[in-house]
Amino acid sequence: EAARLRRRRLEKEEQHLRECEEKYGKIFDEIDVDKDGTMTKEELERYVKTQDENALVDLGIGRWEDFLKEIDIDQNGQIQRDEFIVFFSVGDAKLDADRTFSALFDAIDTSQDGKLQKHEILEYQWYRNPCVMHLLGVGNFSELVSAMDANGDGDVTKDEFVSYLKGAVGHGKEDVAAWKTMLQAGRTATQDFGSG
């Protein structure tokens, strides 16, 4: 009986790995336009332009340098297909709260100064997802700063943003998955009906 259960678990894990290899291999192949087996920052940027602009948030990819540090197993400064597949196949990287909320912060922080500015929030809210304020649990920028600015300096940093969302949304995979579904639904409504 125990041997049969182990075999069943192993079969399920093998099936999961095959599905991940197919899914993430296909994404990698779409990104790797020159078909050299490595992904560059430029290729990732081109891919994102052909997809929903929130593809990076959906994948949980924030800044390129941070992503490269995490995914580049052999530390050669390049992302190979197998590294990409392994990264997304093990441990549900796409549902990691820190990674997901950090990627959203990076998507909003277009100035890349590590702080959210009012114009960045408003641009993201109206042009990319009109529901984002609601999903962040605030009604306007002043409420956002008030709710998220833990040290009271008037700025919302990535750490404060991530910490606030983990407290408001939760940090479990199910919490993050539900929140990402709502974020996607807001983007879909914008695409279907316009941003108002």
Side-chain angles (χ1 to χ4, degrees), residues 48 52-61 100-111 116-136 138 141 144 148 161 165 179-180 182-188 190-191 194-196:
V48 170
D52 178 301
E53 64 258 347
N54 291 291
L56 293 176
V57 175
D58 292 339
L59 287 170
I61 300 172
T100 298
F101 300 144
S102 289
L104 178 60
F105 180 93
D106 291 341
I108 296 171
D109 182 26
T110 56
S111 66
L116 295 184
Q117 312 295 318
K118 184 175 184 175
H119 71 89
E120 292 170 326
I121 290 286
L122 294 177
E123 179 180 312
Y124 191 87
Q125 178 183 7
W126 295 114
Y127 296 109
R128 297 191 183 142
N129 189 332
C131 303
V132 77
M133 287 291 199
H134 172 72
L135 292 172
L136 296 177
V138 295
F141 186 74
L144 180 136
M148 294 184 183
F161 184 84
L165 283 178
W179 190 83
K180 284 177 81 170
M182 290 188 296
L183 188 67
Q184 178 63 44
R187 292 195 314 259
T188 302
T190 300
Q191 293 165 358
S195 61

Side-chain angles (χ1 to χ4, degrees), residues 17-133:
L17 291 174
R18 281 191 299 273
E19 290 169 1
C20 286
E21 183 168 0
E22 182 178 326
K23 177 180 180 179
Y24 296 112
K26 182 180 178 198
I27 292 170
F28 182 90
D29 293 342
E30 289 176 21
I31 295 170
D32 181 23
V33 293
D34 64 6
K35 305 300 181 211
D36 68 350
T38 62
M39 175 197 312
T40 65
K41 181 179 181 182
E42 292 75 23
E43 287 174 320
L44 181 60
E45 289 169 348
R46 269 189 301 243
Y47 171 78
V48 170
K49 288 178 183 175
T50 67
Q51 304 295 310
D52 178 301
E53 64 258 347
N54 291 291
L56 293 176
V57 175
D58 292 339
L59 287 170
I61 300 172
R63 290 198 168 82
W64 173 259
E65 296 77 19
D66 298 336
F67 179 58
L68 184 61
K69 259 191 265 182
E70 287 185 274
I71 195 171
D72 187 16
I73 296 168
D74 60 11
Q75 298 190 351
N76 68 352
Q78 299 177 329
I79 298 173
Q80 283 86 26
R81 188 176 195 272
D82 59 339
E83 290 173 323
F84 188 83
I85 292 168
V86 167
F87 180 78
F88 287 107
S89 299
V90 179
D92 283 330
K94 286 175 54 175
L95 297 178
D96 177 77
D98 288 309
R99 176 173 286 108
T100 298
F101 300 144
S102 289
L104 178 60
F105 180 93
D106 291 341
I108 296 171
D109 182 26
T110 56
S111 66
Q112 297 187 346
D113 65 354
K115 301 173 187 173
L116 295 184
Q117 312 295 318
K118 184 175 184 175
H119 71 89
E120 292 170 326
I121 290 286
L122 294 177
E123 179 180 312
Y124 191 87
Q125 178 183 7
W126 295 114
Y127 296 109
R128 297 191 183 142
N129 189 332
C131 303
V132 77
M133 287 291 199

